[in-house]
Amino acid sequence: MDQFGGILPILLIFVVMFVFMILPQQRKMKKEKEFETGLKVGDKIITKSGFHRKIAEVSETTAVIETMSGKLKIEKTAISMEYSMALNKKA
């Protein structure tokens, strides 16, 4: 019984760490993945580097955005979910 009392605080620390650190990160990753798969042509986006553009083409892992000087092919992971969603709420 004494050994169980020594392991309980360590086990409790791992459970708390899992609930407050790992689960929220997994939820955020799932939401970002859903956002990336839901992107379509014509969506207004903001990239993580600050470009404000519309999507011209979409493939499985990349998107093409139009700029004044041509088109840029970017990874979908380079699109900021938070800023793009806030931009689309304003419009």
Side-chain angles (χ1 to χ4, degrees), residues 29-72:
M29 288 173 53
K30 183 179 177 184
K31 284 174 68 175
E32 285 181 0
K33 188 70 172 170
E34 290 172 0
F35 171 76
E36 290 172 10
T37 57
L39 290 172
K40 57 189 180 298
V41 174
D43 284 350
K44 293 181 181 179
I45 56 129
I46 299 175
T47 64
K48 292 179 181 176
S49 59
F51 289 116
H52 294 241
R53 294 287 170 216
K54 284 187 181 179
I55 296 177
E57 300 172 29
V58 177
S59 70
E60 188 175 322
T61 59
T62 61
V64 176
I65 57 174
E66 289 187 22
T67 64
M68 296 180 92
S69 62
K71 294 183 176 182
L72 292 175

